[in-house]
Amino acid sequence: MPALGLPQAGYPSGGDKQALYFLQNNPSGASVIALELENGQAGNPIRTSTQGIGSGVMNLTSNEAVDVDTLNSQGAVAVGGDYLFAVNSGSNTLAMFKIDSSDPTHPQMMGQPIDSQGDFPVSVTYSDKLGTVCVVNGGARNNVACWKINNGQLCQNGDPRPLNLGYLNTPPVQNSGTVSQIQFSPDAQHLVVSVKGLMAAGTPGPVFIFPVLNDEIAQEPVRSTIADILMPFGFAFGSDSDRILLSDPTFGGSIVTIDPSTSMTSELQHTMSNLTAACWAAYSSTTKNGYLIDAGAPQMGEVDMTTGALLDVFQTDPAFVAAFDAIIDGSISYFLARAPSVGSFDVGQRSLVQNLDLANASGVDDRQWWSGLAMYPSK
């Protein structure tokens, strides 16, 4: 059981029970791990099959999947309302579960996984306002596919929206312009997709912005690139639906504005000191700041989402080795550590909350296959 006690500053309390979820993107059988969560402490992993198989981005020098972050993405799982979604990258499907607020670690699959309408789905997002879930496929058939939820059923919402990234294979190869993330803006007026650039050629990666008009997602996106942002990876909205914190593992991150014509402009770029690879981004509604998460070192960069200023680059805990997919609730950042553990760290107090070792936990696969992180209730 998670450690119980009185809530502390920055620790959410009351209301529904809480849970964390991450995907096990295993080619031998994919699953979701749910963790009980209370007062910043996680525990009791429960495994639930996604009724599909995983896959992995291929290593540059071998015919094998990379040894960590096998989807090269942010958002492999998503929670919205009482729904949990997970991608099955090897079987090209999307799984949907219903979450019981009194027992959120045992999500129940609704029907069977649905065809993702493309190859190698890597990231998923849900808008409660639109009642719509969208997935981005990052393989040879790369596109965005969306469904409305009607009486618990997924009903296709328009034809798949092609991204026309002709260089991608199934599965794709590391550092070859892999697809990073898909996410609705908080006001559900934009659907945003980030894609990494081509490292060898020095070609900046595009960001696709699908306008949402009268609750309908456009079939055609606006494609934007910024010369100094080579590898758009994870991003996070703050309270403003027209600005994002966009990570780039080659230097740190940028505050990027989506203007009314849905093009993209960069306001400020920040280079993190001692950077290894800033791949993920998250936002705290308590501190009102955004955070860049380094995949190669136990450190985070803190960015003021209003002014765009880089406030700090701070260390977390050496036991994490580094941090990957992350989500912030209150001032508590949860993330998949590079070690086989799930970490939690108070970004307001700059203090360790927990390092939950899952190396020998029942039902938990090898660290290689962990991907994505989501929380119930959704944040």
Side-chain angles (χ1 to χ4, degrees):
M1 280 289 292
L4 306 180
L6 294 176
Q8 302 173 38
Y11 291 57
S13 63
D16 292 330
K17 291 185 176 180
Q18 294 181 300
L20 286 176
Y21 307 95
F22 66 87
L23 176 68
Q24 298 196 123
N25 179 48
N26 196 324
S28 298
S31 58
V32 167
I33 293 293
L35 297 167
E36 292 181 6
L37 185 63
E38 190 162 351
N39 296 341
Q41 303 278 333
N44 287 354
I46 304 294
R47 179 189 183 111
T48 301
S49 172
T50 62
Q51 299 299 310
I53 60 173
S55 182
V57 169
M58 304 305 288
N59 191 287
L60 281 168
T61 57
S62 70
N63 193 33
E64 297 179 351
V66 294
D67 61 2
V68 71
D69 185 31
T70 51
L71 292 181
N72 274 200
S73 72
Q74 178 167 321
V77 289
V79 169
D82 290 331
Y83 297 114
L84 167 66
F85 303 93
V87 298
N88 287 317
S89 60
S91 47
N92 301 330
T93 57
L94 174 68
M96 179 172 72
F97 300 84
K98 190 68 182 293
I99 300 171
D100 182 343
S101 62
S102 66
D103 186 19
T105 59
H106 292 87
Q108 299 297 310
M109 181 172 285
M110 302 181 69
Q112 293 296 312
I114 194 167
D115 187 346
S116 72
Q117 305 293 306
D119 298 328
F120 202 72
V122 296
S123 182
V124 59
T125 184
Y126 175 74
S127 168
D128 195 45
K129 178 183 177 185
L130 301 176
T132 299
V133 58
C134 294
V135 66
V136 61
N137 292 290
R141 291 185 299 154
N142 49 87
N143 58 40
V144 169
C146 299
W147 298 264
K148 290 273 191 182
I149 298 179
N150 186 7
N151 294 323
Q153 300 292 318
L154 289 172
C155 303
Q156 192 165 332
N157 180 234
D159 292 331
R161 298 152 175 85
L163 299 180
N164 298 314
L165 303 171
Y167 50 81
L168 288 175
N169 298 316
T170 304
V173 177
Q174 187 180 33
N175 293 337
S176 64
T178 54
V179 175
S180 301
Q181 183 183 357
I182 187 170
Q183 189 175 339
F184 282 107
S185 61
D187 64 4
Q189 293 300 299
H190 310 295
L191 177 64
V192 181
V193 175
S194 55
V195 178
K196 302 172 207 69
L198 300 173
M199 284 285 287
T203 304
V207 174
F208 296 88
I209 304 164
F210 294 84
V212 180
L213 301 173
N214 300 318
D215 293 344
E216 291 297 328
I217 302 163
Q219 285 294 127
E220 296 290 335
V222 174
R223 174 176 172 151
S224 295
T225 57
I226 295 175
D228 294 332
I229 302 179
L230 178 63
M231 300 283 281
F233 204 125
F235 60 89
F237 286 93
S239 58
D240 186 342
S241 290
D242 292 328
R243 300 175 85 219
I244 60 174
L245 175 61
L246 176 64
S247 71
D248 183 324
T250 65
F251 67 87
S254 301
I255 292 290
V256 173
T257 298
I258 302 168
D259 69 25
S261 66
T262 67
S263 62
M264 184 183 74
T265 56
S266 177
E267 290 184 20
L268 290 167
Q269 297 186 17
H270 297 298
T271 299
M272 288 174 60
S273 59
N274 302 314
L275 172 73
T276 302
C279 295
W280 290 271
Y283 172 73
S284 166
S285 60
T286 296
T287 67
K288 309 299 182 187
N289 295 327
Y291 296 86
L292 297 165
I293 294 94
D294 196 332
Q299 67 175 357
M300 300 173 71
E302 184 175 37
V303 178
D304 187 312
M305 293 292 285
T306 301
T307 68
L310 178 64
L311 302 175
D312 194 13
V313 177
F314 57 90
Q315 299 296 303
T316 54
D317 190 276
F320 297 148
V321 183
F324 287 68
D325 303 77
I327 189 169
I328 300 178
D329 183 31
S331 66
I332 308 304
S333 175
Y334 303 95
F335 47 80
L336 302 181
R338 179 61 181 90
S341 65
V342 172
S344 51
F345 189 87
D346 190 323
V347 297
Q349 299 296 320
R350 302 287 199 267
S351 61
L352 174 68
V353 179
Q354 184 189 31
N355 183 25
L356 177 66
D357 186 357
L358 295 175
N360 298 306
S362 176
V364 178
D365 293 341
D366 186 87
R367 175 64 184 87
Q368 176 183 16
W369 303 111
W370 301 6
S371 189
L373 191 65
M375 181 177 181
Y376 176 83
S378 60
K379 301 298 171 186

